[in-house]
Amino acid sequence: MTPLPPVPAPQKLSASTRLGIFLLALVVIVGCLFLIFPSDRIVTPDWVPAIKSELRAALTVVSPYLGVALLSMIVAIAELASTFPTYPREALRTRWARVLILVNVGAAFLALIIARVTMPSVNPVLLVIGVGVGFQAIIRTRFVLARAMGGPEGSDDEVSLNLGWLYEQFQHLCRTQIDLELMKNRRTAVIHLLQTYPTIAELYDIAYYTIIARATLTPEEERARVEQLQTLIDPKAPEQFARNSMALTILENGGPAYVELLLSQAMGGGETAAAPSRASQEELVWQLINNYSLDGLVDLTHKLSDDPKVREWVSQAAAANQDTVEATQKASIAYFLLQQVGQRKVQQALDEQAKRPSAPANSPPDA
Amino acid sequence: MKKIQLEDKELQVLQTLEERGAMSPSQVSASTWLLPGETLTVLKSLSTEGLVLLRNDTYSPDGMVVTITQNARSYLSYTSTSIRRKKE
């Protein structure tokens, strides 16, 4: 197996971004404290009340824009999160997600300016709510003006005004571009999964568990996904395609954070490291297969175990049989030995064998 | 559900696969104490019945992998429920 590249750490905010957010929060907090500070009750410099009144006046002008910006941002974020339910965090970090949010905010600003110019007497709070919510609804709406009686919805017999058409096109563009940006991360995660869990058995088990462990899937959805997974283990599916698709199933059902957890677990990191892993067991099996002949494995069993039942089973498994092949016999004995005598004893035997200058006649190294 | 009659060995293999998940035929053999040739015969028979899926896997030490199907899971669940009811 090729050495595993380091697992990519979860994307975090850069130091400058964090500093920017901190400074912004500080300015907002200081501004609020400054505004609510009772300057009329205690002695303050002359410029304080003047600055306060100017700040209040500025806020009166800016706050409606902040309000509609906030509402349009919430709507855009909700749309993105529902479009990419498996990767909401990653989707929001993409360049096109920022474009979508900025366009929403910009359009809301424009709508507010138009509304303020055309309806100057309307209560500003109502105007903010009306534009923040109403405008978002209008640009996503298709108004049906007339429909043939009994005609189906969306048929050609309808007369409609589709205000949402332009936004739909833009949304489609953003969705496609975000999806393409996420493709790179998906492929990286799949490659890491395949390198860490190379066998179909491991991938299948993880994928199966990931599906049945999901709390939000309905029984029908769960059954459909398990059936889809089963089609991948069908001998008709090409092997590499099956492995790739199983890794993708794990990612799609578990999400990037879950994949990161699986990868760090496999690399023995942190408290979550499993007991003897399946990978280390398979590595020992491969070493036994490559370093011992069938007779060599029988001798090794006699050396490592005193149990007559174990010795007899291994002798019978190693006997010539037309229903099986040598590779299967060796693999069966190797797994059996590991189960019966434990990984530590087998590892010691392999280490001892490796230290010997030349291998004995009955256990030639094949690999 | 189609009535299925399984031998003890077949049932043992299915139960092992249900408990331990997908594995290579060699692991099935080592877990059930069935001899390798015997295990392959049982697995092929179960595969014909649609109770297991057996496919090639170049990363597996014996080049194959086997897993239980949803039909087999339903069958095992049905069988264990029936046995429990009979005992009661």
Side-chain angles (χ1 to χ4, degrees):
Chain A
M1 206 196 298
T2 50
L4 187 69
V7 179
Q11 285 182 345
K12 285 182 181 166
L13 294 174
S14 65
S16 56
T17 315
R18 270 181 286 172
L19 184 70
I21 292 171
F22 173 73
L23 287 175
L24 187 70
L26 196 67
V27 167
V28 170
I29 291 167
V30 169
C32 289
L33 286 175
F34 180 69
L35 279 174
I36 59 171
F37 191 75
S39 58
D40 51 338
R41 288 185 203 165
I42 52 172
V43 182
T44 51
D46 292 343
W47 56 266
V48 172
I51 295 275
K52 257 188 180 180
S53 62
E54 273 181 33
L55 196 61
R56 281 205 181 100
L59 271 178
T60 313
V61 176
V62 172
S63 54
Y65 292 97
L66 289 177
V68 290
L70 191 70
L71 284 170
S72 59
M73 269 172 77
I74 290 170
V75 172
I77 290 171
E79 271 180 354
L80 282 167
S82 61
T83 310
F84 300 95
T86 316
Y87 325 90
R89 205 177 47 172
E90 287 72 17
L92 284 171
R93 283 194 185 127
T94 58
R95 200 155 43 96
W96 279 89
R98 285 180 210 144
V99 171
L100 181 75
I101 292 170
L102 279 177
V103 167
N104 265 278
V105 171
F109 276 175
L110 199 65
L112 184 63
I113 290 168
I114 295 168
R116 288 186 96 166
V117 169
T118 52
M119 297 176 282
S121 57
V122 178
N123 182 319
V125 178
L126 285 178
L127 205 62
V128 169
I129 296 170
V131 171
V133 179
F135 175 69
Q136 302 297 329
I138 285 169
I139 61 165
R140 289 161 176 83
T141 308
R142 177 169 171 267
F143 295 96
V144 178
L145 304 176
R147 182 187 296 160
M149 286 171 78
E153 199 177 323
S155 70
D156 292 339
D157 300 332
E158 271 181 8
V159 178
S160 62
L161 177 65
N162 193 353
L163 292 181
W165 181 86
L166 191 65
Y167 185 73
E168 258 174 39
Q169 303 309 307
F170 175 65
Q171 216 182 19
H172 179 72
L173 172 76
C174 290
R175 197 174 57 210
T176 310
Q177 294 304 320
I178 293 169
D179 198 26
L180 291 176
E181 274 188 64
L182 291 176
M183 271 298 287
K184 196 182 86 184
N185 299 340
R186 277 205 288 263
R187 185 63 195 153
T188 312
V190 165
I191 289 170
H192 279 111
L193 273 174
L194 291 176
Q195 283 173 332
T196 315
Y197 302 98
T199 65
I200 288 182
E202 282 176 298
L203 288 168
Y204 181 86
D205 275 352
I206 297 170
Y208 183 80
Y209 172 77
T210 310
I211 293 169
I212 62 164
R214 282 280 300 269
T216 49
L217 293 182
T218 63
E220 289 75 28
E221 281 174 326
E222 187 182 298
R223 202 176 309 121
R225 290 185 193 200
V226 169
E227 276 169 15
Q228 200 184 358
L229 180 65
Q230 261 186 207
T231 61
L232 297 173
I233 212 161
D234 194 282
K236 286 172 204 151
E239 195 182 324
Q240 195 53 38
F241 167 76
R243 285 224 300 273
N244 279 327
S245 305
M246 280 178 200
L248 195 60
T249 305
I250 295 168
L251 180 64
E252 296 286 346
N253 284 282
Y258 176 68
V259 170
E260 275 162 24
L261 175 76
L262 286 173
L263 296 174
S264 59
Q265 266 185 340
M267 291 166 96
E271 295 164 5
T272 47
S277 74
R278 200 164 168 169
S280 67
Q281 192 194 31
E282 299 223 327
E283 205 179 310
L284 285 178
V285 169
W286 276 111
Q287 284 185 40
L288 285 170
I289 292 169
N290 291 333
N291 291 305
Y292 289 88
S293 65
L294 269 177
D295 291 339
L297 285 171
V298 176
D299 289 346
L300 184 67
T301 310
H302 281 256
K303 198 176 131 193
L304 297 178
S305 172
D306 297 326
D307 189 338
K309 283 182 186 168
V310 172
R311 288 178 170 193
E312 193 193 336
W313 189 90
V314 171
S315 301
Q316 284 182 3
N321 189 322
Q322 60 177 15
D323 292 333
T324 185
V325 289
E326 193 181 324
T328 310
Q329 285 175 296
K330 282 167 87 174
S332 301
I333 295 170
Y335 278 120
F336 188 74
L337 254 182
L338 282 169
Q339 278 181 19
Q340 299 304 320
V341 304
Q343 291 198 17
R344 198 172 52 85
K345 274 188 170 182
V346 173
Q347 185 65 64
Q348 278 173 358
L350 282 163
D351 292 343
E352 278 171 26
Q353 206 230 11
K355 279 178 197 162
R356 280 184 223 144
S358 59
N362 62 350
S363 56
D366 304 327
Chain B
M1 189 191 286
K2 197 175 94 176
K3 195 146 191 172
I4 308 168
Q5 285 294 328
L6 294 181
E7 290 175 14
D8 287 348
K9 283 176 188 173
E10 291 175 322
L11 204 57
Q12 193 188 356
V13 167
L14 281 186
Q15 281 166 344
T16 305
L17 285 168
E18 191 197 26
E19 282 163 20
R20 298 188 47 190
M23 53 173 84
S24 69
S26 311
Q27 278 176 295
V28 176
S29 181
S31 304
T32 56
W33 288 65
L34 292 174
L35 292 170
E38 210 176 3
T39 309
L40 277 179
T41 312
V42 170
L43 287 176
K44 279 174 189 165
S45 150
L46 289 172
S47 174
T48 315
E49 290 277 358
L51 297 173
V52 299
L53 288 163
L54 192 63
R55 68 156 300 146
N56 55 328
D57 178 12
T58 43
Y59 286 86
S60 164
D62 57 6
M64 277 191 286
V65 61
V66 62
T67 186
I68 191 170
T69 62
Q70 283 303 98
N71 281 350
R73 281 183 207 276
S74 309
Y75 171 78
L76 287 176
S77 141
Y78 172 78
T79 314
S80 61
T81 313
S82 306
I83 291 169
R84 213 181 310 128
R85 274 187 194 150
K86 273 180 194 171
K87 277 182 185 170
E88 284 166 5

